Amino acid sequence: MARNLTTGGGEDLPSDTNGKSANNNSLVVSFGEFLIDFVPTVGGVSLAEAPAFKKAPGGAPANVAVCVSRLGGTSAFIGKVGDDEFGRMLANILKENNVDNSGMRFDHSARTALAFVTLRADGEREFLFFRHPSADMRLRESELDINLIKQAKIFHFGSISLIEEPCKSAQLAAMNIAKNSGSILSYDPNLRLPLWPSAEAARKGIMSIWDQADLIKVSEDEITFLTEGGDPYDDNEVMKNLFHPNLKLLIVTEGPAGCRYYTKTFKGRVPGIKVKPVDTTGAGDAFVGGLLSSLASDLNLFQDEKRLREALAFANACGALTVTERGAIPALPTKQAVLEALSKHHG
């Protein structure tokens, strides 16, 4: 899919796409898993009780890429799906949402991953995964679109690709390429415990790349898990255990309550927007997409607390609007919808 990856207003950019000159754009490249979620057609039932399932695209990194694009930004996705009907459907969904899918690869022997996701009565989720192995786990370093990675202003990833080889090595290589090309590295661990061999392996795997990220977003539950019972509300505990010298920004999401932020020089809290939740799927991804879309056009957010707070209020609104509809990608908001929600909230 040949698309102009710059979002500038017609100014001439260097044609060289190798190295730092390409970072004049605001491209967000998202790396990782892309799969099919099967969601019960009725809410509040267990998987066994569900009368029928509806298929929906899923996978946090892909959700983030679509969110950035829907908010008017420029994004690309890198990952592997099966050379099957579902894999082609996913590639097409990205295309329809103006996400560059040229970094996608298709596996001839492994299928696109499936996840059965049930929404309990309280809107929270339970997962049953089919990845034995699935195509996303089989992305190889040799299949990476190196030029696309080098163009990333922000390179975003999770931890699910770290569970198995060869995709673990592919992710580490991609992070390295991005870092050396001057990209900001964004990390959302997105803990999915059932996919890891053990809790200890999950903790170790997630923390193994911690000190390489410039921006990290974690939830309260993930803090408790990663610190083995630490208090997610204790600022000193959070800073001591999770902040590292190279980190530009650590975000702790608090669901509907909003988020907290920590940098080397300041910290604070931005309240969320109250909505009636229908389905929490994709809320965290929408938050990340909202934050990265702001950051891609203004890297000074890291130093400017006022602008950072505005960007986090915007990200909170992205997350809030996403829970008001079923599914992740269909529920991701437009920039107009987010700005309207913010003005109503403050109005």
Side-chain angles (χ1 to χ4, degrees):
M1 196 178 146
R3 286 179 68 234
N4 177 12
L5 292 171
T6 63
T7 53
E11 71 273 10
D12 287 331
L13 286 175
S15 57
D16 171 31
T17 54
N18 299 319
K20 315 227 175 191
S21 61
N23 287 344
N24 295 349
N25 63 37
S26 51
L27 174 67
V28 176
V29 175
S30 208
F31 176 98
E33 71 281 359
F34 199 9
L35 57 146
I36 307 282
D37 285 341
F38 284 91
V39 187
T41 49
V42 294
V45 294
S46 70
L47 291 176
E49 294 163 341
F53 295 90
K54 187 178 174 211
K55 71 178 189 305
N63 293 342
V64 169
V66 172
C67 182
V68 168
S69 174
R70 198 164 292 171
L71 291 168
T74 317
S75 65
F77 173 76
I78 291 179
K80 201 172 196 185
V81 292
D83 188 12
D84 52 42
E85 286 284 316
F86 285 151
R88 307 230 162 263
M89 178 191 111
L90 292 176
N92 212 39
I93 284 167
L94 291 185
K95 197 173 175 180
E96 286 166 5
N97 283 282
N98 296 316
V99 175
D100 183 339
N101 65 6
S102 61
M104 280 183 80
R105 301 293 177 257
F106 298 84
D107 196 293
H108 300 296
S109 52
R111 296 277 183 227
T112 302
L114 308 179
F116 286 80
V117 188
T118 174
L119 294 169
R120 298 196 311 248
D122 60 3
E124 280 304 317
R125 297 158 297 166
E126 287 169 10
F127 294 92
L128 176 61
F129 293 96
F130 286 76
R131 299 170 82 239
H132 308 287
S134 55
D136 59 289
M137 298 154 71
R138 292 167 57 114
L139 180 70
R140 299 182 176 279
E141 189 180 334
S142 59
E143 295 174 307
L144 292 173
D145 187 329
I146 291 171
N147 277 340
L148 185 57
I149 297 168
K150 282 181 173 176
Q151 291 176 60
K153 189 163 192 181
I154 300 173
F155 184 72
H156 176 73
F157 48 88
S159 69
I160 288 172
S161 300
L162 298 172
I163 300 172
E164 295 262 0
E165 290 290 6
C167 65
K168 178 182 177 179
S169 292
Q171 173 164 339
L172 296 176
M175 287 166 57
N176 206 27
I177 294 163
K179 192 80 162 173
N180 291 336
S181 303
S183 309
I184 294 287
L185 265 52
S186 161
Y187 183 25
D188 176 1
N190 205 29
L191 175 67
R192 293 285 178 266
L193 209 43
L195 293 179
W196 291 87
S198 67
E200 188 45 44
R203 205 173 283 116
K204 208 174 151 193
I206 287 171
M207 295 307 293
S208 70
I209 59 168
W210 201 263
D211 60 355
Q212 294 182 52
D214 298 296
L215 160 65
I216 297 174
K217 171 242 158 197
V218 276
S219 67
E220 300 157 297
D221 291 347
E222 286 165 346
I223 290 177
T224 305
F225 173 78
L226 292 171
T227 58
E228 299 191 61
D231 179 358
Y233 301 102
D234 182 339
D235 285 348
N236 294 328
E237 180 102 358
V238 171
M239 286 297 279
K240 182 174 71 113
N241 289 309
L242 299 178
F243 207 86
H244 67 76
N246 302 319
L247 195 55
K248 292 183 170 71
L249 178 62
L250 174 67
I251 302 284
V252 179
T253 52
E254 302 179 337
C259 66
R260 302 200 303 279
Y261 57 90
Y262 303 86
T263 73
K264 285 193 187 76
T265 50
F266 50 76
K267 62 177 197 231
R269 195 171 168 278
V270 179
I273 290 180
K274 292 278 179 286
V275 291
K276 188 169 165 36
V278 173
D279 174 5
T280 57
T281 308
D285 305 329
F287 175 91
V288 172
L291 177 58
L292 296 187
S293 70
S294 299
L295 190 59
S297 53
D298 182 10
L299 285 182
N300 294 325
L301 290 179
F302 290 134
Q303 283 87 35
D304 185 330
E305 187 170 12
K306 182 178 179 288
R307 271 145 80 187
L308 176 63
R309 289 183 64 86
E310 286 167 5
L312 291 173
F314 182 87
N316 281 341
C318 290
L321 288 175
T322 302
V323 306
T324 60
E325 285 185 50
R326 279 187 191 272
I329 286 178
L332 294 169
T334 60
K335 190 168 192 174
Q336 189 58 40
V338 178
L339 295 175
E340 278 169 21
L342 282 170
S343 64
K344 254 189 228 147
H345 181 64
H346 294 303

